[in-house]
Amino acid sequence: MTLRVQGLGKRYGDSWALRDCSFELERGRVTALVGANGAGKTTLLTMLAGVLRPDEGTVEARGRISFVAQDKPLYGHLDAGGMFQIARRLNDVWHQQRAESWARRFDVPLDRRCRRLSTGQQTQVALAVALGSRPDVLLLDEPLASLDPVVRRDVMRELLTEAADTGMALLMSTHVVAEISGVADSLVLLRGGKLVLSGDLDELMSSHSRYVGPPARTPPAGEVVHASHHEQQSAFLVRGGDRPGEPWVTEPVTVEDLVLAHLTGGGAA
Protein backbone atom coordinates (compact mmCIF):
# COMPACT_ATOMS: atom_id res chain seq x y z
CA MET A 1 0.00 0.00 0.00
CA THR A 2 1.28 3.44 -1.00
CA LEU A 3 -1.83 5.43 -0.15
CA ARG A 4 -4.95 4.48 1.81
CA VAL A 5 -8.18 6.51 1.93
CA GLN A 6 -10.69 5.78 4.70
CA GLY A 7 -14.17 7.35 4.82
CA LEU A 8 -13.00 10.58 3.19
CA GLY A 9 -15.52 13.39 2.89
CA LYS A 10 -15.72 17.11 2.15
CA ARG A 11 -18.66 19.41 2.81
CA TYR A 12 -19.44 22.88 1.46
CA GLY A 13 -22.14 24.41 3.62
CA ASP A 14 -24.98 21.91 3.85
CA SER A 15 -23.90 19.97 0.75
CA TRP A 16 -21.38 17.12 0.60
CA ALA A 17 -19.08 17.28 -2.42
CA LEU A 18 -17.68 13.89 -1.45
CA ARG A 19 -18.54 11.45 1.29
CA ASP A 20 -17.60 8.01 2.62
CA CYS A 21 -14.84 7.39 0.06
CA SER A 22 -12.43 4.51 0.78
CA PHE A 23 -9.84 2.82 -1.45
CA GLU A 24 -6.11 2.06 -1.73
CA LEU A 25 -3.37 2.81 -4.25
CA GLU A 26 -0.66 0.20 -4.76
CA ARG A 27 2.96 0.63 -5.84
CA GLY A 28 3.57 0.57 -9.57
CA ARG A 29 -0.13 0.51 -10.47
CA VAL A 30 -2.18 2.96 -12.52
CA THR A 31 -5.63 3.83 -11.22
CA ALA A 32 -8.22 5.64 -13.31
CA LEU A 33 -10.45 8.07 -11.42
CA VAL A 34 -13.69 8.42 -13.38
CA GLY A 35 -16.86 10.44 -12.89
CA ALA A 36 -19.07 12.99 -14.56
CA ASN A 37 -18.50 16.71 -14.03
CA GLY A 38 -19.31 17.55 -10.41
CA ALA A 39 -18.85 13.96 -9.23
CA GLY A 40 -16.12 14.96 -6.76
CA LYS A 41 -12.97 14.00 -8.65
CA THR A 42 -11.11 17.29 -8.20
CA THR A 43 -12.25 17.56 -4.57
CA LEU A 44 -10.86 14.10 -3.90
CA LEU A 45 -7.52 14.79 -5.59
CA THR A 46 -6.96 18.10 -3.81
CA MET A 47 -7.60 16.40 -0.46
CA LEU A 48 -5.18 13.59 -1.31
CA ALA A 49 -2.58 16.21 -2.25
CA GLY A 50 -3.04 18.01 1.07
CA VAL A 51 -4.29 21.20 -0.58
CA LEU A 52 -7.79 20.81 0.85
CA ARG A 53 -8.61 19.65 4.38
CA PRO A 54 -11.25 16.89 4.61
CA ASP A 55 -14.23 17.23 6.92
CA GLU A 56 -14.22 13.54 7.70
CA GLY A 57 -12.05 10.50 7.10
CA THR A 58 -8.30 10.03 6.77
CA VAL A 59 -5.56 9.82 4.13
CA GLU A 60 -2.56 7.65 4.95
CA ALA A 61 0.34 8.01 2.53
CA ARG A 62 3.82 6.53 2.42
CA GLY A 63 6.37 8.69 0.67
CA ARG A 64 6.16 11.80 -1.47
CA ILE A 65 3.06 12.99 -3.35
CA SER A 66 3.05 15.17 -6.47
CA PHE A 67 -0.10 16.75 -7.88
CA VAL A 68 -0.75 18.24 -11.32
CA ALA A 69 -4.00 20.23 -11.19
CA GLN A 70 -6.28 21.02 -14.12
CA ASP A 71 -5.05 24.59 -14.43
CA LYS A 72 -1.37 23.48 -14.30
CA PRO A 73 -0.21 26.48 -12.23
CA LEU A 74 3.07 27.86 -13.53
CA TYR A 75 4.87 31.16 -13.10
CA GLY A 76 4.29 32.76 -16.50
CA HIS A 77 7.31 35.07 -16.29
CA LEU A 78 9.69 32.13 -15.74
CA ASP A 79 10.95 29.71 -18.34
CA ALA A 80 10.98 25.95 -17.79
CA GLY A 81 14.51 26.11 -16.42
CA GLY A 82 13.39 28.68 -13.85
CA MET A 83 10.48 26.46 -12.84
CA PHE A 84 12.93 23.62 -12.29
CA GLN A 85 15.11 25.84 -10.09
CA ILE A 86 12.15 26.68 -7.86
CA ALA A 87 11.15 23.02 -7.70
CA ARG A 88 14.68 22.05 -6.66
CA ARG A 89 14.53 24.49 -3.74
CA LEU A 90 11.07 23.43 -2.61
CA ASN A 91 11.53 19.65 -2.78
CA ASP A 92 13.67 17.54 -0.47
CA VAL A 93 14.26 15.19 -3.39
CA TRP A 94 14.87 16.57 -6.87
CA HIS A 95 16.13 14.94 -10.06
CA GLN A 96 17.12 17.69 -12.48
CA GLN A 97 18.04 15.33 -15.30
CA ARG A 98 14.65 13.61 -15.15
CA ALA A 99 12.79 16.91 -15.40
CA GLU A 100 14.94 18.20 -18.27
CA SER A 101 14.76 14.93 -20.19
CA TRP A 102 10.95 14.94 -19.99
CA ALA A 103 10.80 18.51 -21.32
CA ARG A 104 13.19 17.70 -24.16
CA ARG A 105 11.34 14.48 -24.94
CA PHE A 106 8.27 16.58 -25.74
CA ASP A 107 10.08 19.46 -27.47
CA VAL A 108 9.65 22.07 -24.76
CA PRO A 109 12.20 24.90 -25.08
CA LEU A 110 13.78 25.35 -21.65
CA ASP A 111 14.57 29.02 -22.22
CA ARG A 112 11.10 30.23 -23.26
CA ARG A 113 8.82 31.90 -20.73
CA CYS A 114 5.93 29.71 -19.66
CA ARG A 115 3.34 32.29 -20.71
CA ARG A 116 4.66 32.02 -24.27
CA LEU A 117 4.45 28.24 -24.38
CA SER A 118 1.51 26.48 -25.98
CA THR A 119 -1.09 24.91 -23.68
CA GLY A 120 0.32 21.48 -24.44
CA GLN A 121 3.87 22.61 -23.67
CA GLN A 122 2.71 24.09 -20.37
CA THR A 123 1.25 20.69 -19.53
CA GLN A 124 4.63 19.09 -20.22
CA VAL A 125 6.41 21.58 -17.94
CA ALA A 126 3.96 20.79 -15.13
CA LEU A 127 4.49 17.05 -15.63
CA ALA A 128 8.26 17.53 -15.72
CA VAL A 129 8.18 19.39 -12.39
CA ALA A 130 6.00 16.69 -10.85
CA LEU A 131 8.20 13.83 -12.04
CA GLY A 132 11.42 15.63 -11.14
CA SER A 133 10.44 15.40 -7.47
CA ARG A 134 10.49 11.59 -7.78
CA PRO A 135 7.04 11.07 -6.24
CA ASP A 136 5.86 7.83 -4.72
CA VAL A 137 2.31 8.89 -5.65
CA LEU A 138 1.48 11.02 -8.67
CA LEU A 139 -1.99 12.62 -8.83
CA LEU A 140 -3.16 13.93 -12.20
CA ASP A 141 -6.39 15.90 -12.64
CA GLU A 142 -7.44 15.66 -16.31
CA PRO A 143 -3.79 16.13 -17.31
CA LEU A 144 -4.00 15.15 -20.97
CA ALA A 145 -7.05 17.13 -22.09
CA SER A 146 -4.95 19.81 -23.80
CA LEU A 147 -2.80 17.33 -25.75
CA ASP A 148 -3.46 16.03 -29.23
CA PRO A 149 -4.14 12.27 -29.54
CA VAL A 150 -0.64 11.31 -30.68
CA VAL A 151 1.11 13.22 -27.88
CA ARG A 152 -1.46 11.94 -25.37
CA ARG A 153 -0.58 8.38 -26.35
CA ASP A 154 3.16 9.07 -25.98
CA VAL A 155 2.69 10.74 -22.59
CA MET A 156 0.68 7.79 -21.29
CA ARG A 157 3.36 5.41 -22.50
CA GLU A 158 6.03 7.38 -20.65
CA LEU A 159 3.93 7.55 -17.48
CA LEU A 160 3.32 3.79 -17.56
CA THR A 161 7.05 3.21 -17.93
CA GLU A 162 7.73 5.57 -15.01
CA ALA A 163 5.29 3.69 -12.79
CA ALA A 164 6.72 0.32 -13.73
CA ASP A 165 10.37 1.37 -13.35
CA THR A 166 10.09 3.33 -10.10
CA GLY A 167 7.11 1.74 -8.34
CA MET A 168 5.26 5.05 -8.44
CA ALA A 169 1.51 4.81 -7.89
CA LEU A 170 -0.44 6.85 -10.43
CA LEU A 171 -4.00 8.12 -9.89
CA MET A 172 -5.30 9.80 -13.05
CA SER A 173 -8.63 11.59 -13.32
CA THR A 174 -10.21 11.32 -16.75
CA HIS A 175 -13.57 11.62 -18.45
CA VAL A 176 -12.32 9.89 -21.63
CA VAL A 177 -13.39 6.30 -21.13
CA ALA A 178 -11.28 5.14 -24.07
CA GLU A 179 -8.12 6.13 -22.14
CA ILE A 180 -8.82 3.55 -19.45
CA SER A 181 -8.64 0.35 -21.48
CA GLY A 182 -5.10 -0.96 -21.76
CA VAL A 183 -3.79 1.71 -19.39
CA ALA A 184 -5.43 1.39 -15.97
CA ASP A 185 -4.85 -1.49 -13.56
CA SER A 186 -7.54 -0.28 -11.17
CA LEU A 187 -10.65 1.86 -11.23
CA VAL A 188 -12.21 4.37 -8.84
CA LEU A 189 -15.62 5.57 -10.01
CA LEU A 190 -17.50 8.46 -8.40
CA ARG A 191 -21.11 9.46 -8.95
CA GLY A 192 -22.75 12.38 -7.21
CA GLY A 193 -19.98 12.66 -4.61
CA LYS A 194 -20.12 8.98 -3.68
CA LEU A 195 -17.83 6.07 -4.45
CA VAL A 196 -19.87 3.54 -6.41
CA LEU A 197 -17.15 1.25 -7.77
CA SER A 198 -13.49 0.57 -7.01
CA GLY A 199 -10.97 -2.21 -7.32
CA ASP A 200 -8.81 -4.16 -9.76
CA LEU A 201 -10.13 -3.53 -13.27
CA ASP A 202 -9.79 -7.14 -14.45
CA GLU A 203 -11.66 -8.38 -11.39
CA LEU A 204 -14.40 -5.80 -11.89
CA MET A 205 -14.77 -6.81 -15.53
CA SER A 206 -14.99 -10.51 -14.70
CA SER A 207 -17.62 -9.88 -12.01
CA HIS A 208 -20.00 -8.22 -14.51
CA SER A 209 -21.93 -9.79 -17.39
CA ARG A 210 -24.32 -8.67 -20.11
CA TYR A 211 -27.35 -10.80 -20.89
CA VAL A 212 -29.57 -10.35 -23.94
CA GLY A 213 -32.83 -12.23 -24.30
CA PRO A 214 -36.62 -12.03 -24.56
CA PRO A 215 -38.52 -9.09 -23.04
CA ALA A 216 -38.32 -9.36 -19.25
CA ARG A 217 -38.69 -7.17 -16.19
CA THR A 218 -35.84 -8.86 -14.30
CA PRO A 219 -32.58 -10.50 -15.39
CA PRO A 220 -32.12 -14.27 -15.35
CA ALA A 221 -29.33 -13.88 -12.76
CA GLY A 222 -27.29 -11.30 -10.88
CA GLU A 223 -27.77 -7.76 -9.55
CA VAL A 224 -28.96 -5.25 -12.16
CA VAL A 225 -26.54 -2.43 -12.90
CA HIS A 226 -28.26 -1.27 -16.06
CA ALA A 227 -31.18 -2.47 -18.15
CA SER A 228 -32.54 -1.59 -21.58
CA HIS A 229 -35.82 -2.80 -23.03
CA HIS A 230 -37.06 -2.93 -26.60
CA GLU A 231 -40.10 -4.45 -28.22
CA GLN A 232 -38.40 -7.73 -29.07
CA GLN A 233 -35.75 -8.08 -26.37
CA SER A 234 -34.29 -6.96 -23.05
CA ALA A 235 -30.61 -6.45 -22.19
CA PHE A 236 -29.19 -6.45 -18.67
CA LEU A 237 -25.72 -5.58 -17.42
CA VAL A 238 -25.47 -7.36 -14.09
CA ARG A 239 -23.02 -7.97 -11.29
CA GLY A 240 -22.57 -11.53 -10.01
CA GLY A 241 -24.88 -14.46 -10.51
CA ASP A 242 -24.55 -17.72 -12.47
CA ARG A 243 -24.47 -17.65 -16.25
CA PRO A 244 -27.95 -18.41 -17.62
CA GLY A 245 -28.79 -20.78 -20.45
CA GLU A 246 -31.11 -20.40 -23.42
CA PRO A 247 -32.84 -18.27 -24.53
CA TRP A 248 -30.41 -15.83 -22.95
CA VAL A 249 -27.18 -14.90 -24.72
CA THR A 250 -24.17 -13.77 -22.71
CA GLU A 251 -22.13 -11.00 -24.33
CA PRO A 252 -18.70 -9.70 -23.26
CA VAL A 253 -18.60 -6.55 -21.11
CA THR A 254 -16.29 -3.79 -22.28
CA VAL A 255 -14.67 -1.18 -20.06
CA GLU A 256 -16.97 1.39 -21.65
CA ASP A 257 -20.03 -0.76 -20.84
CA LEU A 258 -18.92 -1.10 -17.23
CA VAL A 259 -18.13 2.57 -16.66
CA LEU A 260 -21.15 4.04 -18.43
CA ALA A 261 -23.57 1.63 -16.73
CA HIS A 262 -22.37 2.66 -13.29
CA LEU A 263 -22.15 6.35 -14.19
CA THR A 264 -25.79 6.42 -15.25
CA GLY A 265 -26.81 5.02 -11.89
CA GLY A 266 -28.34 1.72 -12.97
CA GLY A 267 -32.01 1.12 -13.53
CA ALA A 268 -33.83 0.84 -16.80
CA ALA A 269 -33.42 2.80 -20.01
mmCIF file of all heavy atoms in Angstrom, residues 243-269:
data_model
loop_
_atom_site.group_PDB
_atom_site.id
_atom_site.type_symbol
_atom_site.label_atom_id
_atom_site.label_comp_id
_atom_site.label_asym_id
_atom_site.label_seq_id
_atom_site.Cartn_x
_atom_site.Cartn_y
_atom_site.Cartn_z
ATOM 1 N N ARG A 243 -24.188 -17.889 -14.832
ATOM 2 C CA ARG A 243 -24.467 -17.652 -16.250
ATOM 3 C C ARG A 243 -25.724 -18.419 -16.660
ATOM 4 O O ARG A 243 -25.801 -19.642 -16.481
ATOM 5 C CB ARG A 243 -23.277 -18.096 -17.080
ATOM 6 C CG ARG A 243 -23.429 -17.863 -18.571
ATOM 7 C CD ARG A 243 -22.129 -18.130 -19.270
ATOM 8 N NE ARG A 243 -22.241 -17.941 -20.712
ATOM 9 C CZ ARG A 243 -21.204 -17.952 -21.545
ATOM 10 N NH1 ARG A 243 -19.983 -18.141 -21.056
ATOM 11 N NH2 ARG A 243 -21.374 -17.765 -22.836
ATOM 12 N N PRO A 244 -26.708 -17.734 -17.246
ATOM 13 C CA PRO A 244 -27.951 -18.415 -17.616
ATOM 14 C C PRO A 244 -27.821 -19.160 -18.941
ATOM 15 O O PRO A 244 -26.896 -18.907 -19.728
ATOM 16 C CB PRO A 244 -28.947 -17.262 -17.733
ATOM 17 C CG PRO A 244 -28.107 -16.130 -18.204
ATOM 18 C CD PRO A 244 -26.764 -16.291 -17.529
ATOM 19 N N GLY A 245 -28.765 -20.061 -19.187
ATOM 20 C CA GLY A 245 -28.793 -20.778 -20.446
ATOM 21 C C GLY A 245 -29.771 -20.142 -21.413
ATOM 22 O O GLY A 245 -30.188 -18.984 -21.245
ATOM 23 N N GLU A 246 -30.162 -20.899 -22.438
ATOM 24 C CA GLU A 246 -31.110 -20.395 -23.423
ATOM 25 C C GLU A 246 -32.432 -20.035 -22.750
ATOM 26 O O GLU A 246 -32.821 -20.643 -21.750
ATOM 27 C CB GLU A 246 -31.326 -21.470 -24.498
ATOM 28 C CG GLU A 246 -30.092 -21.769 -25.319
ATOM 29 C CD GLU A 246 -30.383 -22.799 -26.414
ATOM 30 O OE1 GLU A 246 -31.505 -23.383 -26.418
ATOM 31 O OE2 GLU A 246 -29.500 -23.020 -27.248
ATOM 32 N N PRO A 247 -33.107 -19.013 -23.275
ATOM 33 C CA PRO A 247 -32.844 -18.274 -24.526
ATOM 34 C C PRO A 247 -31.915 -17.082 -24.356
ATOM 35 O O PRO A 247 -31.797 -16.253 -25.261
ATOM 36 C CB PRO A 247 -34.254 -17.829 -24.930
ATOM 37 C CG PRO A 247 -34.908 -17.542 -23.621
ATOM 38 C CD PRO A 247 -34.401 -18.597 -22.673
ATOM 39 N N TRP A 248 -31.263 -16.984 -23.215
ATOM 40 C CA TRP A 248 -30.414 -15.829 -22.949
ATOM 41 C C TRP A 248 -29.036 -16.016 -23.568
ATOM 42 O O TRP A 248 -28.455 -17.100 -23.530
ATOM 43 C CB TRP A 248 -30.283 -15.600 -21.446
ATOM 44 C CG TRP A 248 -31.588 -15.171 -20.851
ATOM 45 C CD1 TRP A 248 -32.540 -15.969 -20.303
ATOM 46 C CD2 TRP A 248 -32.095 -13.847 -20.787
ATOM 47 N NE1 TRP A 248 -33.625 -15.232 -19.883
ATOM 48 C CE2 TRP A 248 -33.369 -13.906 -20.176
ATOM 49 C CE3 TRP A 248 -31.606 -12.604 -21.174
ATOM 50 C CZ2 TRP A 248 -34.155 -12.787 -19.951
ATOM 51 C CZ3 TRP A 248 -32.374 -11.477 -20.954
ATOM 52 C CH2 TRP A 248 -33.636 -11.570 -20.351
ATOM 53 N N VAL A 249 -28.525 -14.925 -24.132
ATOM 54 C CA VAL A 249 -27.183 -14.900 -24.725
ATOM 55 C C VAL A 249 -26.295 -14.017 -23.855
ATOM 56 O O VAL A 249 -26.682 -12.904 -23.494
ATOM 57 C CB VAL A 249 -27.224 -14.346 -26.165
ATOM 58 C CG1 VAL A 249 -25.808 -14.228 -26.724
ATOM 59 C CG2 VAL A 249 -28.094 -15.227 -27.045
ATOM 60 N N THR A 250 -25.122 -14.536 -23.513
ATOM 61 C CA THR A 250 -24.165 -13.768 -22.712
ATOM 62 C C THR A 250 -23.165 -13.084 -23.626
ATOM 63 O O THR A 250 -22.509 -13.746 -24.447
ATOM 64 C CB THR A 250 -23.408 -14.681 -21.727
ATOM 65 O OG1 THR A 250 -24.353 -15.344 -20.888
ATOM 66 C CG2 THR A 250 -22.447 -13.868 -20.869
ATOM 67 N N GLU A 251 -23.054 -11.772 -23.510
ATOM 68 C CA GLU A 251 -22.130 -10.997 -24.331
ATOM 69 C C GLU A 251 -21.005 -10.446 -23.463
ATOM 70 O O GLU A 251 -21.202 -10.195 -22.271
ATOM 71 C CB GLU A 251 -22.865 -9.836 -25.006
ATOM 72 C CG GLU A 251 -23.943 -10.270 -25.977
ATOM 73 C CD GLU A 251 -24.637 -9.098 -26.636
ATOM 74 O OE1 GLU A 251 -24.470 -7.956 -26.150
ATOM 75 O OE2 GLU A 251 -25.328 -9.321 -27.632
ATOM 76 N N PRO A 252 -19.812 -10.247 -24.047
ATOM 77 C CA PRO A 252 -18.697 -9.704 -23.258
ATOM 78 C C PRO A 252 -18.974 -8.275 -22.828
ATOM 79 O O PRO A 252 -19.632 -7.503 -23.535
ATOM 80 C CB PRO A 252 -17.508 -9.774 -24.214
ATOM 81 C CG PRO A 252 -18.125 -9.802 -25.587
ATOM 82 C CD PRO A 252 -19.418 -10.541 -25.444
ATOM 83 N N VAL A 253 -18.467 -7.908 -21.647
ATOM 84 C CA VAL A 253 -18.605 -6.547 -21.114
ATOM 85 C C VAL A 253 -17.324 -5.785 -21.403
ATOM 86 O O VAL A 253 -16.229 -6.245 -21.063
ATOM 87 C CB VAL A 253 -18.878 -6.581 -19.607
ATOM 88 C CG1 VAL A 253 -18.927 -5.172 -19.033
ATOM 89 C CG2 VAL A 253 -20.183 -7.308 -19.313
ATOM 90 N N THR A 254 -17.449 -4.638 -22.034
ATOM 91 C CA THR A 254 -16.288 -3.794 -22.280
ATOM 92 C C THR A 254 -16.099 -2.824 -21.120
ATOM 93 O O THR A 254 -16.994 -2.642 -20.289
ATOM 94 C CB THR A 254 -16.462 -2.996 -23.579
ATOM 95 O OG1 THR A 254 -17.550 -2.057 -23.404
ATOM 96 C CG2 THR A 254 -16.786 -3.918 -24.753
ATOM 97 N N VAL A 255 -14.925 -2.192 -21.079
ATOM 98 C CA VAL A 255 -14.673 -1.180 -20.058
ATOM 99 C C VAL A 255 -15.683 -0.041 -20.190
ATOM 100 O O VAL A 255 -16.201 0.471 -19.193
ATOM 101 C CB VAL A 255 -13.232 -0.640 -20.176
ATOM 102 C CG1 VAL A 255 -13.016 0.525 -19.210
ATOM 103 C CG2 VAL A 255 -12.225 -1.737 -19.902
ATOM 104 N N GLU A 256 -15.992 0.322 -21.429
ATOM 105 C CA GLU A 256 -16.969 1.395 -21.646
ATOM 106 C C GLU A 256 -18.339 0.988 -21.122
ATOM 107 O O GLU A 256 -19.031 1.787 -20.492
ATOM 108 C CB GLU A 256 -17.046 1.740 -23.125
ATOM 109 C CG GLU A 256 -17.963 2.921 -23.422
ATOM 110 C CD GLU A 256 -17.914 3.333 -24.877
ATOM 111 O OE1 GLU A 256 -17.312 2.602 -25.684
ATOM 112 O OE2 GLU A 256 -18.483 4.384 -25.210
ATOM 113 N N ASP A 257 -18.751 -0.264 -21.379
ATOM 114 C CA ASP A 257 -20.027 -0.760 -20.843
ATOM 115 C C ASP A 257 -20.057 -0.617 -19.323
ATOM 116 O O ASP A 257 -21.035 -0.134 -18.748
ATOM 117 C CB ASP A 257 -20.224 -2.242 -21.201
ATOM 118 C CG ASP A 257 -20.467 -2.471 -22.677
ATOM 119 O OD1 ASP A 257 -20.942 -1.552 -23.348
ATOM 120 O OD2 ASP A 257 -20.166 -3.586 -23.150
ATOM 121 N N LEU A 258 -18.982 -1.092 -18.692
ATOM 122 C CA LEU A 258 -18.917 -1.100 -17.231
ATOM 123 C C LEU A 258 -19.008 0.309 -16.659
ATOM 124 O O LEU A 258 -19.818 0.582 -15.759
ATOM 125 C CB LEU A 258 -17.609 -1.772 -16.795
ATOM 126 C CG LEU A 258 -17.345 -1.845 -15.294
ATOM 127 C CD1 LEU A 258 -18.257 -2.879 -14.647
ATOM 128 C CD2 LEU A 258 -15.873 -2.188 -15.031
ATOM 129 N N VAL A 259 -18.199 1.216 -17.197
ATOM 130 C CA VAL A 259 -18.133 2.572 -16.663
ATOM 131 C C VAL A 259 -19.439 3.322 -16.897
ATOM 132 O O VAL A 259 -20.004 3.929 -15.971
ATOM 133 C CB VAL A 259 -16.948 3.339 -17.280
ATOM 134 C CG1 VAL A 259 -17.014 4.818 -16.921
ATOM 135 C CG2 VAL A 259 -15.628 2.735 -16.809
ATOM 136 N N LEU A 260 -19.943 3.273 -18.120
ATOM 137 C CA LEU A 260 -21.152 4.045 -18.427
ATOM 138 C C LEU A 260 -22.363 3.513 -17.677
ATOM 139 O O LEU A 260 -23.220 4.288 -17.246
ATOM 140 C CB LEU A 260 -21.408 4.015 -19.937
ATOM 141 C CG LEU A 260 -20.378 4.747 -20.795
ATOM 142 C CD1 LEU A 260 -20.755 4.678 -22.269
ATOM 143 C CD2 LEU A 260 -20.220 6.197 -20.374
ATOM 144 N N ALA A 261 -22.435 2.197 -17.478
ATOM 145 C CA ALA A 261 -23.567 1.634 -16.734
ATOM 146 C C ALA A 261 -23.572 2.153 -15.309
ATOM 147 O O ALA A 261 -24.624 2.542 -14.772
ATOM 148 C CB ALA A 261 -23.487 0.111 -16.753
ATOM 149 N N HIS A 262 -22.417 2.191 -14.671
ATOM 150 C CA HIS A 262 -22.369 2.663 -13.286
ATOM 151 C C HIS A 262 -22.486 4.185 -13.200
ATOM 152 O O HIS A 262 -23.014 4.708 -12.204
ATOM 153 C CB HIS A 262 -21.085 2.181 -12.614
ATOM 154 C CG HIS A 262 -21.127 0.757 -12.176
ATOM 155 N ND1 HIS A 262 -21.709 0.357 -10.991
ATOM 156 C CD2 HIS A 262 -20.691 -0.382 -12.785
ATOM 157 C CE1 HIS A 262 -21.605 -0.961 -10.874
ATOM 158 N NE2 HIS A 262 -21.000 -1.434 -11.939
ATOM 159 N N LEU A 263 -22.024 4.894 -14.206
ATOM 160 C CA LEU A 263 -22.146 6.351 -14.189
ATOM 161 C C LEU A 263 -23.602 6.790 -14.325
ATOM 162 O O LEU A 263 -23.994 7.826 -13.768
ATOM 163 C CB LEU A 263 -21.331 6.970 -15.324
ATOM 164 C CG LEU A 263 -19.826 7.088 -15.132
ATOM 165 C CD1 LEU A 263 -19.183 7.730 -16.343
ATOM 166 C CD2 LEU A 263 -19.492 7.870 -13.869
ATOM 167 N N THR A 264 -24.392 6.028 -15.064
ATOM 168 C CA THR A 264 -25.789 6.416 -15.252
ATOM 169 C C THR A 264 -26.654 6.031 -14.067
ATOM 170 O O THR A 264 -27.834 6.381 -14.021
ATOM 171 C CB THR A 264 -26.370 5.766 -16.520
ATOM 172 O OG1 THR A 264 -26.203 4.348 -16.467
ATOM 173 C CG2 THR A 264 -25.680 6.307 -17.757
ATOM 174 N N GLY A 265 -26.096 5.288 -13.125
ATOM 175 C CA GLY A 265 -26.810 5.018 -11.893
ATOM 176 C C GLY A 265 -27.706 3.825 -11.925
ATOM 177 O O GLY A 265 -28.556 3.656 -11.053
ATOM 178 N N GLY A 266 -27.544 2.943 -12.938
ATOM 179 C CA GLY A 266 -28.338 1.719 -12.968
ATOM 180 C C GLY A 266 -29.757 1.988 -13.391
ATOM 181 O O GLY A 266 -30.119 3.035 -13.911
ATOM 182 N N GLY A 267 -30.603 0.986 -13.178
ATOM 183 C CA GLY A 267 -32.005 1.121 -13.525
ATOM 184 C C GLY A 267 -32.252 0.822 -14.967
ATOM 185 O O GLY A 267 -31.432 0.244 -15.666
ATOM 186 N N ALA A 268 -33.400 1.181 -15.453
ATOM 187 C CA ALA A 268 -33.827 0.844 -16.798
ATOM 188 C C ALA A 268 -33.722 2.047 -17.713
ATOM 189 O O ALA A 268 -33.886 3.186 -17.306
ATOM 190 C CB ALA A 268 -35.252 0.329 -16.799
ATOM 191 N N ALA A 269 -33.464 1.757 -18.984
ATOM 192 C CA ALA A 269 -33.417 2.801 -20.009
ATOM 193 C C ALA A 269 -34.220 2.335 -21.214
ATOM 194 O O ALA A 269 -34.143 1.185 -21.574
ATOM 195 C CB ALA A 269 -31.982 3.096 -20.421
#
